[in-house]
Amino acid sequence: MPRSFTTGNGHLQVSQNLRFNCQAPKGNDANQLLQTACERYKKVLSQPDGLLPEARTKEAAAGQLNTVLVIVKKDNTKLDDKTDESYDLRVSQNGEAIITANSVFGAFRGLETFAQLVRRTGKESYLPGVPLQIQDSPSYAHRGLMLDTARTYFSVDDIKRQLNAMAVAKMNVLHWHIVDSQSFPLVSEVHPELSEKGAYSPDMIYTKRDVQGIIQYARERGIRVIPEFDTPAHTYAWSLSHPDLLVCGKNEPWDKVAAEPPSGQLDPTNPGSIKLVGELLREQATWFTDPYMHVGGDEVNQKCYTDQPHIAQHMQEKGINATQLIAGFAQQLHNITRESGKVPVTWEEALLEYKVDMGKDTIVQVWTTADHVKEVVKKDLRAIVSPANFWYLDCGQGGWVNTAKGFNSWCDPFKSWQHIYTYDPLTNLTGTGNDDKSHPNILGGEVALWTEKTDSLILDMKLWPRAAAAGEVLWSGRRDINGNERTTVNAQPRIFKLRRRLVQHGLRPDLISMLWCELHPGGCELEL
Amino acid sequence: MPRSFTTGNGHLQVSQNLRFNCQAPKGNDANQLLQTACERYKKVLSQPDGLLPEARTKEAAAGQLNTVLVIVKKDNTKLDDKTDESYDLRVSQNGEAIITANSVFGAFRGLETFAQLVRRTGKESYLPGVPLQIQDSPSYAHRGLMLDTARTYFSVDDIKRQLNAMAVAKMNVLHWHIVDSQSFPLVSEVHPELSEKGAYSPDMIYTKRDVQGIIQYARERGIRVIPEFDTPAHTYAWSLSHPDLLVCGKNEPWDKVAAEPPSGQLDPTNPGSIKLVGELLREQATWFTDPYMHVGGDEVNQKCYTDQPHIAQHMQEKGINATQLIAGFAQQLHNITRESGKVPVTWEEALLEYKVDMGKDTIVQVWTTADHVKEVVKKDLRAIVSPANFWYLDCGQGGWVNTAKGFNSWCDPFKSWQHIYTYDPLTNLTGTGNDDKSHPNILGGEVALWTEKTDSLILDMKLWPRAAAAGEVLWSGRRDINGNERTTVNAQPRIFKLRRRLVQHGLRPDLISMLWCELHPGGCELEL
């Protein structure tokens, strides 16, 4: 839903030979990016939109649309949390469509909006609601999707398919949780042994070329790729090539020392641990182009460390406890990240549990509960919100642990698109009135998919269309221009349509409600 | 899991030219059915099984398997609740596989078991565990899957794909909930107007030829097809061609008079209602070959009737209340069903709520809660169990009604395969000791998928592999031969494998746990 718009009730027939006139400054790769995007949207516009037939306005066609003029004003193609994604779209009665944007990435958003407005039945294309004026820009700079490729490996094509969908939902950050305890699919060139021993199989890997291909594909859609290298917990797969660096690995009952199997944490008292992680981070800082680098830091089990005699002795000698030990490791990671030219991102525990004394540049991702967002803001740090009780897409679909009793997921119930849609990242923030639309410390948010129970066959339906419910909150804000909360009743027709667009893009998304409800707007409502 | 078996530790190489010698009496279509099945399994056995590599026994191959001998003793090809599905499978060290069965349908089960035992890596085929003896037969005669093709239309191919999966899970009843309020896809020849007006679209229909094709395809896999024509509620789509027969249709707020939109019930006081339903039932009794016919009868809303002045007057004149009105309509339906040569099946409300005075042949399907099973048995009627709190596959995946608050499904939480697996159809039955393996009044059960939130793209994953968890309970019983409850810990490796078999059959089933857990048996267990 755009920030502001006015529409008329005429419509234009869209020419079968719709011409794109796409103009960007020659500096950087702005023009190249724009031409690629225009070619892509030209193709999209030549194909049916996959939507249901709609009642047409009775008014005769106001004319024909032959040309889309796209004007990018600046050659800045830096893709980061300051990127200007605003755009202006105007279509006049006389049949000219003009998209104006400060950056090429803003132009991408305008092209997507334009493509979504043109109805393409397969027999004809037309643009209703003319004359049309849209001024649009996102409420939040960070509109992300976290995908875990370690519990389950996903092919490069699987990932690109999600990037296509993200562009439709105007989401702009892929948080790539690339390695974890279960597998290490990334083929490092300085430490190739990590994936040689740690990948699920020699076919289930990401080479440097794969990584760079994904980054470029994302960039062509205005999407940042932020990699995560989660340590010191969630590292069992690292130990397959570096057994000496891991403690409390699989020999112990996993549930005593870890959140899930296989257990094992890097030993912070072994200098080899920070050396290995540091070397990997420094290498990856050159592969990944985004200014952010996520260093993980979640779910570090203290008992795992205190149980080890040599670690206990180390702590005693240094006069520190387990949280201080963990904090020290995290601080080293943050420093290495900064030295590599990146902004460190960390899961919330580093701040709220291990009390790492963080630089003010550090970004904290909140996940355990939405209530913790205000704790981060209080400490005047910037937050990314992805609370499990609202935005974890893997919840509520049954337990995956093999147990006599634990049949439910740990974060029941299922997060329906409606539940996702009603989460406001600004909830309970001191210094944010209920009618405020932003907070300087809230960069934005992410929906997250941990893949204990998801593989390629069902990936699309686990992510979509629910991710787009968060996408709209992050682009448009929970409240409209008049300060009123947006409702799921109003959003539902947009989600129905978005799902059909995704099917047209080759995805297999979840169904939010049966065809009868889609065919009969208002017919499936209920006031409780 | 077969009823009883013994295995050795040798293995046989399976010849690339494995020969099937399939012998059945010439009476009926026994021999034809058997040859078709043998051809099908020959093809299955020529393809990889899709399973993960397994540790091979070190023992040298005991020999080669060149021939499968299948012997069917009787020519009875009646497929009903008395069908003998038992089989005997023996493979000796000298390399002969012999499947013996009383009926061709028992032979199908033996062929499926044999196919599941032969490991096919793509490079080689071998049969481990030789010498092998299996005596097998099902605990329950009725092992069903209910699919709703009215809320969402599924193609004939979608349905056949499920029949393939059912054969893998040894499930033998497709309960086809073919029409409902949302659409009427069945093209009746005596009342073609029902689908002309009531189908979602002219493409979303089942012709007589489609129906017969599905029945034949199912029969070739030993699967019965029981159609359901649900009245007098759940009939809005009927009214699109017969508006005079419906009361409390869409003009009213649906939630006051119906369980879901669109509202509307056939008017039992209008003689046209029973005439129309009766004519349809009589016709369909000739299309569908199964001895059972399901006449629905669930969720009839009394207020819908009492609110209508002409119905209120009718009840007053007859001296009956709304439940008696509903019971009278149901009794007429049951009688028509019997007159058409079929056994009536009804949802539980007809017995427990409307107190229909039922013939002892009537079969009652329990759905609202497992606690109601004993109520049916007390009245000495036969039951099919499909309790929503255990075996409804659509639960716990978010609400589909568009409302400001009702974001969860009515039957939260999600029914995990483990939860499904732990349901025992014999729970709390008077006259059944805990170690009994059957009860004469429990025909079996069904998992049910109502399709408010499922379409073709995600059908497979909503059904599978969870349906197979019920499939094993119904084939093997909740307890083993020693009376011990089967555990999810023991069942998990079988579900993992079954899922891979289904992928090999072209399905897209759900993932029950990540690859790491499948690769490390016991590694993801937890004692709570």
Side-chain angles (χ1 to χ4, degrees):
Chain A
M1 179 56 74
R3 183 166 289 264
S4 75
F5 61 93
T6 60
T7 56
N9 54 11
H11 67 269
L12 297 175
Q13 290 295 324
V14 176
S15 165
Q16 287 191 330
N17 301 310
L18 183 65
R19 204 171 71 87
F20 281 75
N21 179 354
C22 300
Q23 306 174 359
K26 299 292 175 199
N28 298 314
D29 56 348
N31 192 47
Q32 190 187 331
L33 283 167
L34 181 63
Q35 299 309 327
T36 306
C38 285
E39 280 305 310
R40 194 169 67 241
Y41 280 103
K42 197 170 174 176
K43 198 173 156 198
V44 168
L45 282 157
S46 72
Q47 292 161 346
D49 56 18
L51 303 189
L52 292 176
E54 277 176 356
R56 282 286 294 278
T57 166
K58 289 284 182 350
E59 190 179 337
Q64 181 144 328
L65 183 67
N66 293 306
T67 306
V68 183
L69 176 62
V70 184
I71 301 168
V72 172
K73 294 183 186 162
K74 298 180 186 165
D75 66 357
N76 186 349
T77 57
K78 229 170 116 182
L79 192 55
D80 60 16
D81 56 25
K82 299 280 186 297
T83 298
D84 185 344
E85 295 177 274
S86 68
Y87 68 91
D88 185 292
L89 167 63
R90 285 159 198 257
V91 187
S92 60
Q93 286 270 11
N94 69 14
E96 197 177 19
I98 306 175
I99 296 167
T100 321
N102 287 323
S103 83
V104 68
F105 303 113
F108 292 0
R109 308 300 170 229
L111 282 162
E112 181 61 39
T113 297
F114 176 73
Q116 293 189 15
L117 288 170
V118 175
R119 284 300 328 270
R120 308 182 302 278
T121 65
K123 290 182 181 161
E124 59 163 356
S125 291
Y126 62 94
L127 179 64
V130 176
L132 180 69
Q133 283 202 23
I134 295 179
Q135 283 91 41
D136 202 7
S137 61
S139 292
Y140 296 92
H142 191 109
R143 305 181 306 281
L145 184 158
M146 193 221 75
L147 180 63
D148 161 18
T149 63
R151 287 169 181 78
T152 293
Y153 173 82
F154 296 95
S155 71
V156 171
D157 281 348
D158 283 335
I159 295 172
K160 287 183 175 173
R161 205 167 61 245
Q162 310 317 318
L163 292 168
N164 290 339
M166 289 173 70
V168 173
K170 295 191 171 69
M171 296 175 79
N172 69 343
V173 177
L174 175 66
H175 169 176
W176 190 356
H177 187 90
I178 193 165
V179 298
D180 208 297
S181 278
Q182 291 78 17
S183 78
F184 197 108
L186 180 74
V187 183
S188 160
E189 293 180 352
V190 295
H191 284 290
E193 74 282 3
L194 287 165
S195 60
E196 271 164 24
K197 300 279 186 184
Y200 270 133
S201 86
D203 297 330
M204 298 165 101
I205 56 168
Y206 305 106
T207 62
K208 182 176 183 182
R209 193 185 157 138
D210 292 335
V211 167
Q212 291 178 333
I214 286 168
I215 292 169
Q216 179 61 18
Y217 195 89
R219 179 173 171 78
E220 289 171 356
R221 284 149 185 82
I223 299 170
R224 303 161 55 190
V225 181
I226 301 173
E228 178 184 348
F229 301 94
D230 193 1
T231 68
H234 292 281
T235 48
Y236 174 77
W238 302 56
S239 79
L240 297 173
S241 52
H242 293 270
D244 51 316
L245 300 183
L246 201 86
V247 289
C248 56
K250 67 174 167 176
N251 293 336
E252 310 199 26
W254 64 265
D255 59 307
K256 305 296 179 213
V257 291
E260 68 178 44
S263 64
Q265 299 179 174
L266 292 180
D267 178 355
T269 70
N270 185 329
S273 293
I274 196 72
K275 180 169 183 293
L276 176 64
V277 182
E279 285 166 359
L280 185 78
L281 289 179
R282 286 189 192 93
E283 175 194 45
Q284 294 304 315
T286 68
W287 291 18
F288 286 90
T289 54
D290 198 82
Y292 292 8
M293 180 166 273
H294 202 308
V295 295
D298 59 321
E299 297 186 318
V300 189
N301 187 290
Q302 297 187 29
K303 180 174 158 56
C304 166
Y305 289 147
T306 54
D307 277 1
Q308 314 299 319
H310 76 280
I311 296 181
Q313 191 186 339
H314 173 96
M315 291 192 290
Q316 199 180 6
E317 285 168 12
K318 300 274 180 184
I320 58 173
N321 61 22
T323 58
Q324 290 167 314
L325 178 73
I326 298 164
F329 189 80
Q331 253 154 352
Q332 287 177 281
L333 291 179
H334 294 192
N335 291 341
I336 291 168
T337 305
R338 280 187 199 96
E339 288 158 22
S340 308
K342 304 288 186 182
V343 176
V345 187
T346 175
W347 293 108
E348 63 174 84
E349 289 97 320
L351 179 72
L352 303 178
E353 195 175 329
Y354 320 129
K355 318 285 184 191
V356 176
D357 184 16
M358 292 180 177
K360 286 299 175 197
D361 60 334
T362 315
I363 293 163
V364 179
Q365 182 161 10
V366 175
W367 70 276
T368 63
T369 162
D371 295 341
H372 284 179
V373 176
K374 62 177 184 296
E375 304 301 322
V376 176
V377 171
K378 260 188 214 162
K379 293 176 194 292
D380 200 25
L381 288 164
R382 290 177 298 170
I384 295 166
V385 300
S386 52
N389 52 336
F390 286 98
W391 283 7
Y392 266 32
L393 300 176
D394 48 304
C395 297
Q397 292 156 70
W400 53 269
V401 172
N402 204 356
T403 160
K405 286 184 187 146
F407 298 156
N408 293 340
S409 81
W410 67 271
C411 52
D412 265 2
F414 179 84
K415 310 309 173 210
S416 66
W417 77 266
Q418 301 99 317
H419 184 73
I420 290 168
Y421 190 71
T422 52
Y423 174 60
D424 187 344
L426 302 181
T427 306
N428 293 332
L429 286 191
T430 317
T432 312
N434 268 344
D435 49 357
D436 285 354
K437 297 202 56 166
S438 65
H439 186 290
N441 290 51
I442 306 296
L443 283 170
E446 294 178 3
V447 288
L449 182 65
W450 304 96
T451 55
E452 287 93 349
K453 275 181 63 78
T454 300
D455 74 357
S456 175
L457 296 176
I458 53 174
L459 174 61
D460 298 358
M461 74 84 66
K462 294 288 181 97
L463 288 172
W464 307 99
R466 290 186 296 150
E472 180 162 297
V473 170
L474 292 168
W475 181 276
S476 312
R478 265 306 286 139
R479 293 166 184 279
D480 66 19
I481 204 160
N482 301 315
N484 298 317
E485 282 205 334
R486 299 179 194 278
T487 70
T488 56
V489 169
N490 288 338
Q492 198 205 41
R494 293 195 290 279
I495 299 275
F496 269 132
K497 284 185 183 172
L498 177 124
R499 180 187 193 264
R500 290 188 177 272
R501 293 185 211 287
L502 297 185
V503 172
Q504 202 66 11
H505 276 278
L507 281 90
R508 304 174 76 95
D510 201 2
L511 189 72
I512 62 162
S513 192
M514 56 190 167
L515 181 56
W516 197 90
C517 296
E518 190 176 4
L519 289 169
H520 298 87
C524 294
E525 290 181 12
L526 182 64
E527 297 299 324
L528 285 184
Chain B
M1 179 56 71
R3 180 166 291 264
S4 75
F5 61 92
T6 60
T7 57
N9 56 11
H11 66 268
L12 297 175
Q13 290 295 323
V14 177
S15 165
Q16 288 192 331
N17 301 309
L18 184 66
R19 204 171 71 87
F20 281 76
N21 180 355
C22 301
Q23 306 174 357
K26 299 292 177 201
N28 299 314
D29 55 349
N31 191 48
Q32 190 186 328
L33 283 167
L34 181 63
Q35 299 308 328
T36 306
C38 285
E39 281 305 311
R40 194 170 65 243
Y41 280 102
K42 198 169 174 178
K43 199 173 156 196
V44 168
L45 281 157
S46 72
Q47 293 162 347
D49 57 17
L51 302 189
L52 292 177
E54 277 177 357
R56 281 286 292 278
T57 165
K58 289 282 178 0
E59 188 178 336
Q64 180 145 328
L65 183 68
N66 293 308
T67 307
V68 183
L69 175 61
V70 185
I71 301 169
V72 173
K73 295 182 185 164
K74 299 181 185 165
D75 66 357
N76 185 350
T77 57
K78 231 171 113 181
L79 192 54
D80 60 16
D81 55 25
K82 299 281 186 295
T83 297
D84 184 344
E85 295 176 274
S86 68
Y87 68 91
D88 185 290
L89 168 62
R90 285 160 199 259
V91 186
S92 61
Q93 287 270 13
N94 70 13
E96 195 177 19
I98 307 176
I99 297 168
T100 321
N102 288 322
S103 83
V104 68
F105 304 113
F108 292 1
R109 307 299 169 232
L111 281 161
E112 179 62 37
T113 296
F114 176 73
Q116 293 188 15
L117 288 170
V118 175
R119 284 300 328 270
R120 310 183 298 279
T121 66
K123 289 181 182 161
E124 61 164 353
S125 290
Y126 63 95
L127 179 63
V130 176
L132 181 69
Q133 284 204 21
I134 295 179
Q135 284 90 40
D136 202 7
S137 61
S139 292
Y140 296 93
H142 191 109
R143 306 181 305 281
L145 183 158
M146 193 221 75
L147 180 63
D148 160 20
T149 63
R151 287 168 181 78
T152 293
Y153 172 82
F154 296 96
S155 71
V156 171
D157 282 348
D158 283 334
I159 294 172
K160 287 183 175 173
R161 204 167 61 245
Q162 310 318 317
L163 292 168
N164 290 340
M166 288 172 70
V168 173
K170 295 191 172 68
M171 298 176 77
N172 68 343
V173 177
L174 175 66
H175 169 176
W176 191 356
H177 186 90
I178 194 167
V179 298
D180 208 298
S181 278
Q182 291 78 16
S183 77
F184 197 108
L186 180 75
V187 183
S188 161
E189 292 180 351
V190 295
H191 285 290
E193 73 283 2
L194 285 166
S195 60
E196 272 164 24
K197 300 278 188 185
Y200 271 135
S201 85
D203 297 331
M204 297 165 103
I205 55 168
Y206 305 108
T207 63
K208 183 177 182 180
R209 193 186 158 137
D210 292 335
V211 167
Q212 291 178 334
I214 286 168
I215 292 169
Q216 179 61 18
Y217 194 89
R219 180 173 170 76
E220 288 171 357
R221 285 150 186 81
I223 299 170
R224 303 161 57 190
V225 181
I226 301 174
E228 178 184 348
F229 301 94
D230 193 2
T231 68
H234 292 282
T235 48
Y236 174 77
W238 302 55
S239 79
L240 297 172
S241 52
H242 294 271
D244 52 317
L245 300 183
L246 201 86
V247 289
C248 56
K250 67 172 167 177
N251 294 334
E252 309 197 27
W254 65 264
D255 60 306
K256 304 295 180 216
V257 292
E260 67 178 45
S263 64
Q265 298 179 177
L266 293 180
D267 179 354
T269 71
N270 185 329
S273 294
I274 196 71
K275 181 170 182 294
L276 175 65
V277 182
E279 286 167 359
L280 184 77
L281 289 179
R282 286 190 191 93
E283 176 193 44
Q284 294 305 315
T286 68
W287 291 19
F288 286 89
T289 54
D290 198 82
Y292 292 6
M293 181 167 274
H294 203 306
V295 295
D298 59 319
E299 297 187 316
V300 189
N301 186 290
Q302 297 188 31
K303 180 174 156 56
C304 166
Y305 289 147
T306 54
D307 277 0
Q308 314 297 319
H310 76 279
I311 295 180
Q313 193 186 336
H314 172 96
M315 292 192 290
Q316 200 181 5
E317 284 169 11
K318 300 274 181 184
I320 58 173
N321 60 23
T323 59
Q324 291 168 315
L325 178 74
I326 298 165
F329 188 80
Q331 253 153 351
Q332 287 178 281
L333 290 178
H334 294 193
N335 290 341
I336 291 167
T337 305
R338 279 188 199 95
E339 288 159 21
S340 307
K342 303 289 185 182
V343 175
V345 187
T346 174
W347 294 107
E348 63 175 82
E349 289 98 318
L351 179 72
L352 303 178
E353 194 175 330
Y354 321 129
K355 318 285 182 192
V356 176
D357 184 16
M358 291 181 177
K360 286 299 174 196
D361 60 335
T362 316
I363 292 162
V364 179
Q365 183 162 10
V366 175
W367 70 277
T368 63
T369 163
D371 294 341
H372 285 179
V373 175
K374 62 177 183 294
E375 304 300 322
V376 176
V377 171
K378 259 188 214 162
K379 294 177 192 292
D380 200 24
L381 289 164
R382 290 178 297 169
I384 294 166
V385 300
S386 51
N389 51 338
F390 286 98
W391 283 8
Y392 266 33
L393 300 177
D394 48 303
C395 297
Q397 293 156 69
W400 54 269
V401 171
N402 204 357
T403 159
K405 284 184 191 148
F407 299 155
N408 294 341
S409 82
W410 68 271
C411 52
D412 267 0
F414 179 84
K415 309 310 173 211
S416 66
W417 77 266
Q418 301 98 316
H419 184 73
I420 290 168
Y421 191 71
T422 52
Y423 174 60
D424 187 344
L426 302 180
T427 307
N428 295 332
L429 285 190
T430 317
T432 312
N434 269 345
D435 51 355
D436 284 353
K437 296 201 57 164
S438 66
H439 186 289
N441 289 50
I442 307 295
L443 284 170
E446 295 178 2
V447 287
L449 182 65
W450 303 97
T451 55
E452 287 93 349
K453 274 180 64 78
T454 301
D455 74 358
S456 175
L457 296 176
I458 53 175
L459 173 61
D460 298 357
M461 75 84 66
K462 294 287 181 98
L463 288 172
W464 305 101
R466 290 186 295 150
E472 179 161 297
V473 169
L474 292 167
W475 180 276
S476 312
R478 264 306 286 139
R479 292 166 185 278
D480 66 19
I481 204 161
N482 300 317
N484 298 318
E485 283 207 330
R486 299 179 194 279
T487 70
T488 56
V489 169
N490 288 338
Q492 199 205 41
R494 294 196 289 280
I495 299 275
F496 268 133
K497 283 185 184 173
L498 177 124
R499 181 187 194 261
R500 291 188 177 273
R501 293 185 211 288
L502 297 185
V503 172
Q504 203 66 11
H505 276 278
L507 280 91
R508 305 174 76 95
D510 201 2
L511 189 72
I512 64 162
S513 193
M514 54 191 169
L515 181 57
W516 197 89
C517 296
E518 190 175 4
L519 289 169
H520 298 88
C524 296
E525 290 181 11
L526 182 63
E527 297 299 323
L528 284 185

